[in-house]
Amino acid sequence: MRVWTVANQKGGVGKTTTVVSLGGLCAQRGHRTLLVDLDPHGSLSSYFGLDPEAVKPGLYELFRNDGAMDPDMLRETGVDDLMLLPASTALATLDRQLGTRKGMGLILRRALDALHGQFERVLLDCPPMLGVLMVNALAASQRVVIPVQTEFLAVKGLERMTRTLSMIQQSRGHEQPHVIVPTLYDPRTRASVETLSLLRDDYPDSLWDDVIPEDTLFREASKQAMPLTVLRPWARGSQAYRRLLTYIEAAGDDDRYAKVMGNDAAI
Ligand code: ADP
Ligand code: MG
């Protein structure tokens, strides 16, 4: 089982779109895939027609029950081999309720361990703020995908995110591979072109050397509650996500069970 976190401490950069698109592709490639909505706004859950105000049981109940998995938490998405563990708005209260309890950072990881064998790919859709949910996602995953909108303000959010990553890596005592993915790229705008060249200068090692283009079909696909990559495999945006998935798969991931380090218990 490979677990990837999609995170950036900024909203509107394409995190949820990346989770849906890559998830759809993984499922199409025949991998049993689980998408997990960790954002209290529940945009990923809404994408597939669930109401984050009402959905139950979901990730909130999982945390309240110390990671005990209830099969009812796993919902169909309408795409074969693609399941969803939804978020509810109640998740917003978790930090206050449980944030300082010991062992809180590993709840998701333990829950996913219990699903080993049931899923081959797991994608975690993070909220745009650092808190107990993002810490759980980072602790549970082997790889981090950081979408960055190619516009001037986005670089600030990226700096925050990479600082968070190195902080967590220090406490874990080992590196977590990550890839920065330029999104919403429009070559006709100065903002896109200049931001991309800035990213290339500042993050030469972790920047994916390709882009996810701006493609209005993503919004169309969300209206139909389907990943664009499934609905229109030949759309420009779908092709770009296919290249991204090929890149991530080729990078490979160690078996997560070989990776458990003593320091992880400190999270
Ligand atoms: P986040 O999860 O980071 O908040 P979303 O994935 O929800 O961001 O994207 C924000 C908005 O931008 C959504 O309306 C989505 O449909 C749109 N969007 C995301 N990626 C693209 C893209 N490559 N081209 C066009 N629109 C996009
Ligand atoms: Mg989102």
Side-chain angles (χ1 to χ4, degrees), residues 10-17 37 39 41-44 125-128:
K10 191 172 185 315
V13 299
K15 291 183 294 296
T16 300
T17 304
D37 192 354
D39 189 346
H41 286 121
S43 353
L44 177 62
D125 189 15
C126 273

Side-chain angles (χ1 to χ4, degrees), residues 59-88:
L59 199 68
Y60 178 74
E61 285 70 28
L62 185 86
F63 275 86
R64 295 293 304 174
N65 301 334
D66 260 342
M69 185 59 79
D70 169 348
D72 289 345
M73 289 172 184
L74 304 177
R75 317 292 173 106
E76 304 279 346
T77 61
V79 176
D80 284 349
D81 287 326
L82 190 65
M83 302 281 282
L84 170 69
L85 175 47
S88 59

Side-chain angles (χ1 to χ4, degrees), residues 90-101:
L91 276 179
T93 62
L94 268 190
D95 269 293
R96 209 173 53 230
Q97 291 177 17
L98 312 169
T100 53
R101 252 170 55 185

Side-chain angles (χ1 to χ4, degrees), residues 10 15 104 112 217 261:
K10 191 172 185 315
K15 291 183 294 296
M104 268 303 292
L112 293 179
L217 292 175
M261 303 295 235

Side-chain angles (χ1 to χ4, degrees), residues 8 10-18 39 43 47 125-126 128 147 183-185 212-220 222 237 241:
N8 188 334
K10 191 172 185 315
V13 299
K15 291 183 294 296
T16 300
T17 304
T18 298
D39 189 346
S43 353
Y47 192 106
D125 189 15
C126 273
T183 59
L184 287 134
Y185 184 74
I212 304 294
E214 162 112 56
D215 187 339
T216 50
L217 292 175
F218 281 110
R219 278 193 196 89
E220 291 304 311
S222 71
Y241 274 111

Side-chain angles (χ1 to χ4, degrees), residues 194-215:
E194 287 183 11
T195 306
L196 184 61
S197 102
L198 208 91
L199 290 171
R200 287 200 173 122
D201 290 344
D202 290 354
Y203 300 91
D205 300 327
S206 41
L207 189 73
W208 182 45
D209 66 357
D210 202 337
V211 293
I212 304 294
E214 162 112 56
D215 187 339

Side-chain angles (χ1 to χ4, degrees), residues 151-169:
E151 52 102 38
F152 294 121
L153 286 174
V155 180
K156 282 270 163 244
L158 178 60
E159 283 167 10
R160 272 202 305 279
M161 190 60 229
T162 51
R163 266 203 306 276
T164 298
L165 268 188
S166 41
M167 215 170 70
I168 299 228
Q169 274 170 14

